[in-house]
Amino acid sequence: MSSISVLFIGGTGKISSACVRHCLERGDEVAVLNRQQTATRPLPNEVRHYHADIEDGAAVREALGAAHFDCVVDVTIREPRRVPGAIDLFADRADQFIFISSASAYQKPVARLPIVESTPLVNPFWEYSRNKIACEELFMTAHRQDGFPVTIVRPSHTYDRTGVPFDGGWTVIERLRANKPVVVHGDGSSLWVLTHHDDFARAFVHLVANPRTIGDSFHITSHEVLTWDAINRTFAAAAGVADPHLVHVPSEVIATALPWGPQLLGDKTHSVIFDNSKIRALAPNWQAMVPLAQGAREVVEWFDADPARRSFDPVVDKAFDDLIARFGI
């Protein structure tokens, strides 16, 4: 049996880099199309690299030539204006087109838990999420009207070792290590799910070149549900801090003081629990294997390995100090 041919648009991000590796591990022929490689997540040698700007249709056609793929995966589309071009480029080049959407598109505030794929898509707080919803609608219209072979995948908050997966980033870790208090939104008890990119990818490969998934949507998330206090304490422990001082600040106040306000109000403020039954029906042996305690250690070790990676944002640091002066005890 011939191997599956997969083209990733992008291919070097935190989600796609893991998916590239896991497709290779199962024997797929993997290619990527992007403008350049990245030092942070270099491509494996086995990957074929097409160089082009995905928004330049003529350049993409020239780069790909007559190539045809069993599956094309696009992790780069964030705005509905990009959708018609993707449909035009790949309607005749791919047997399946996987659009990476976002679980932030699900209804906020959530009316009912757990979240399933049929949960309404509506997010009045965050433009990014509304754009993803609009993209989904365009792709599904093309599927219904013209048979465009789209599959929609909604990752939740997915991370790898190269980034601290909460607002404030490495600045929060530096504050913890300096025994300074850190800000946690709300009362710290809202529930959240963080998914390691390898866990995501191990499930994702079951969607690739799978005709049963076309015209359908799936989310892939960890099974581990933690409070935001627990998430902060987990990263504190990974950074060697035994007793972090967490200061609770209302989300609406944080949103007026820091640039990630829309993401906070449109996503992280709200408790989320996901039902993964749908993806597990296609991947019955799949389990999320990386607990956050392990993932947090990977993140801290990666930053600690190179001082150049440990960026500190004095603006965020001062905003934290100002909020803590108002709300700290």
Side-chain angles (χ1 to χ4, degrees):
M1 185 176 68
S2 61
S3 60
I4 293 169
S5 59
V6 189
L7 174 68
F8 286 86
I9 311 301
T12 59
K14 62 177 177 286
I15 289 177
S16 58
S17 60
C19 293
V20 164
R21 284 191 289 103
H22 284 269
C23 283
L24 285 171
E25 287 175 6
R26 76 167 185 176
D28 296 349
E29 295 179 2
V30 180
V32 304
L33 186 146
N34 57 32
R35 287 174 293 183
Q36 60 186 2
Q37 292 205 43
T38 172
T40 302
R41 305 180 190 91
L43 291 168
N45 292 332
E46 306 96 306
V47 174
R48 180 170 184 177
H49 195 182
Y50 295 100
H51 295 269
D53 182 343
I54 188 59
E55 296 200 54
D56 185 341
V60 172
R61 289 185 177 88
E62 181 178 357
L64 295 179
H68 186 278
F69 303 93
D70 295 308
C71 180
V72 171
V73 183
D74 197 314
V75 299
T76 68
I77 296 175
R78 295 189 171 197
E79 298 175 338
R81 66 174 181 81
R82 293 272 314 280
V83 173
I87 293 171
D88 182 58
L89 278 170
F90 295 109
D92 298 322
R93 287 183 180 273
D95 296 328
Q96 179 192 34
F97 184 95
I98 297 182
F99 168 57
I100 303 297
S101 185
S102 170
S104 70
Y106 288 122
Q107 182 183 51
K108 300 296 184 307
V110 183
R112 184 174 60 193
L113 293 173
I115 294 170
V116 296
E117 281 80 356
S118 60
T119 295
L121 305 180
V122 55
N123 191 320
F125 305 98
W126 194 6
E127 184 179 14
Y128 167 82
S129 304
R130 293 194 297 274
N131 282 338
K132 287 289 192 179
I133 294 168
C135 291
E136 288 195 27
E137 291 173 347
L138 289 171
F139 276 122
M140 289 306 298
T141 296
H143 171 70
R144 289 189 294 267
Q145 294 182 353
D146 303 310
F148 185 72
V150 68
T151 300
I152 293 169
V153 180
R154 302 183 186 118
S156 185
H157 194 163
T158 306
Y159 72 99
D160 71 353
R161 63 179 184 167
T162 68
V164 179
F166 46 72
D167 298 326
W170 187 256
T171 301
V172 175
I173 305 300
E174 293 284 1
R175 289 182 65 91
L176 288 167
R177 284 179 164 172
N179 293 315
K180 296 180 69 174
V182 297
V183 170
V184 180
H185 64 267
D187 64 0
S189 67
S190 59
L191 301 174
W192 198 246
V193 177
L194 287 164
T195 306
H196 192 279
H197 71 157
D198 278 324
D199 281 336
F200 176 90
R202 287 188 299 103
F204 177 82
V205 295
H206 292 270
L207 302 176
V208 172
N210 186 338
R212 291 190 294 160
T213 72
I214 291 174
D216 210 342
S217 60
F218 301 83
H219 56 237
I220 301 171
T221 77
S222 174
H223 320 306
E224 184 179 33
V225 181
L226 298 170
T227 67
W228 275 104
D229 272 1
I231 291 169
N232 278 268
R233 293 185 187 281
T234 299
F235 271 88
V241 179
D243 188 22
H245 183 189
L246 309 180
V247 175
H248 298 134
V249 177
S251 296
E252 293 79 4
V253 175
I254 297 173
T256 65
L258 288 160
W260 54 77
Q263 298 97 307
L264 181 60
L265 297 180
D267 208 18
K268 299 182 183 71
T269 293
H270 310 279
S271 288
V272 295
I273 301 171
F274 295 92
D275 183 339
N276 282 295
S277 298
K278 195 171 180 181
I279 183 62
R280 292 188 67 182
L282 297 174
N285 296 321
W286 173 74
Q287 291 280 347
M289 302 297 291
V290 184
L292 185 62
Q294 175 184 332
R297 289 193 298 270
E298 292 178 6
V299 171
V300 172
E301 288 170 2
W302 187 84
F303 278 91
D304 279 345
D306 185 351
R309 297 168 179 165
R310 302 196 294 268
S311 61
F312 183 82
D313 189 332
V315 175
V316 169
D317 186 51
K318 182 180 185 305
F320 273 32
D321 283 340
D322 292 343
L323 289 170
I324 289 163
R326 292 174 58 191
F327 293 90
I329 297 174

